[in-house]
């Protein structure tokens, strides 16, 4: 049995802020068992922030004043200050699949490039024109340009990669191919 096949591939070794290329990246899923992080809505600091906002709003209404405009949503700022769509990477015996959340985007907003063993997904989510006469209490949508860089495994068939977009999700199918085991070359040790 080839134990190397059980070792997960580090797809994110070319993205900034990721662990070193030789480290393992465990599968992460959100669950109620995970403790709240500094940017999550259930973190005590975020709860305190919301409560202080509520108290100030009540105080201003007591004087007959309008409530203060709310500051931007801080819950996501601890994770990312820019627009960065989330993605999933999965596989079976025949192929890998990368699915990227791209709501409100079209195929013309995205581009896929492959250079060597690196797949780069670029895109831009443009801000919608909103009525400037309205007073917004909260704006949670994020806009801007993004780039996701994925390192392709050795068994990825780069020439057969296909992508499609449906219902705001970009799906990239990367077929797997057999990788010939490398031949062993002996090196003679000199004096």
């Amino acid at each position: 049995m080839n134990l190397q096949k059980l070792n997960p591939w580090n797809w994110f070794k070319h993205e900034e802020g990721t662990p070193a290329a030789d480290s393992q990246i465990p599968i992460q899923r959100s669950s109620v068992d995970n403790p709240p992080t500094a940017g999550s809505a259930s973190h005590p600091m975020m709860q305190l922030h919301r409560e202080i906002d509520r108290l100030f709003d009540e105080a201003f209404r007591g004087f007959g004043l309008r409530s203060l405009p709310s500051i931007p949503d801080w819950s996501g700022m601890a994770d990312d200050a820019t627009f960065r769509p989330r993605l999933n990477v999965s596989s079976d015996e025949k192929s890998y699949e990368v699915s990227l959340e791209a709501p409100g985007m079209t195929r013309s907003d995205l581009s896929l490039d492959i250079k060597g063993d690196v797949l780069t997904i670029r895109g831009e989510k443009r801000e919608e024109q909103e009525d400037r006469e309205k007073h917004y209490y909260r704006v949670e949508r994020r806009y801007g340009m993004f780039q996701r860089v994925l390192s392709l495994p050795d068994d990825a068939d780069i020439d057969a990669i296909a992508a499609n977009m449906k219902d705001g999700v970009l799906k990239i199918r990367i077929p797997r191919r057999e990788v010939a085991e490398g031949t062993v070359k002996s090196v003679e040790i000199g004096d």
Side-chain angles (χ1 to χ4, degrees), residues 48-64:
L48 176 64
H49 173 70
R50 281 193 305 273
E51 184 63 19
I52 290 172
D53 280 351
R54 186 187 63 76
L55 289 171
F56 273 100
D57 282 346
E58 285 179 8
F60 280 105
R61 270 183 275 167
F63 291 109

Side-chain angles (χ1 to χ4, degrees), residues 13-147:
K13 66 184 178 183
H14 294 292
E15 284 195 326
E16 290 183 31
T18 57
D22 59 344
S23 68
Q24 297 303 311
I25 299 178
I27 295 173
Q28 296 177 355
R29 294 183 188 254
S30 300
S31 77
V32 291
D33 297 334
N34 292 344
T37 60
S40 71
S42 61
H43 191 271
M45 290 303 292
M46 289 306 298
Q47 290 172 354
L48 176 64
H49 173 70
R50 281 193 305 273
E51 184 63 19
I52 290 172
D53 280 351
R54 186 187 63 76
L55 289 171
F56 273 100
D57 282 346
E58 285 179 8
F60 280 105
R61 270 183 275 167
F63 291 109
L65 300 172
R66 295 170 59 195
S67 62
L68 291 173
S70 86
I71 43 182
D73 178 26
W74 291 43
S75 61
M77 289 187 185
D79 298 331
D80 280 323
T82 59
F83 174 67
R84 182 177 173 163
R86 304 289 185 218
L87 60 83
N88 292 339
V89 179
S90 61
S91 74
D92 57 24
E93 292 295 319
K94 296 180 181 180
S95 66
Y96 298 101
E97 183 177 280
V98 177
S99 59
L100 178 116
E101 294 177 345
M105 298 174 73
T106 62
R107 287 183 281 167
S108 62
D109 295 328
L110 300 166
S111 72
L112 299 172
D113 299 311
I114 301 170
K115 185 175 182 181
D117 67 343
V118 176
L119 170 67
T120 304
I121 307 167
R122 289 186 184 91
E124 181 176 6
K125 186 172 182 183
R126 292 176 184 85
E127 186 172 2
E128 300 168 4
Q129 290 289 46
E130 297 179 0
D131 188 359
R132 299 291 176 199
E133 298 296 317
K134 291 182 181 177
H135 174 74
Y136 287 90
Y137 295 99
R138 186 177 188 113
V139 176
E140 292 186 355
R141 292 188 211 152
R142 293 194 180 170
Y143 303 98
M145 297 177 72
F146 72 89
Q147 175 175 297

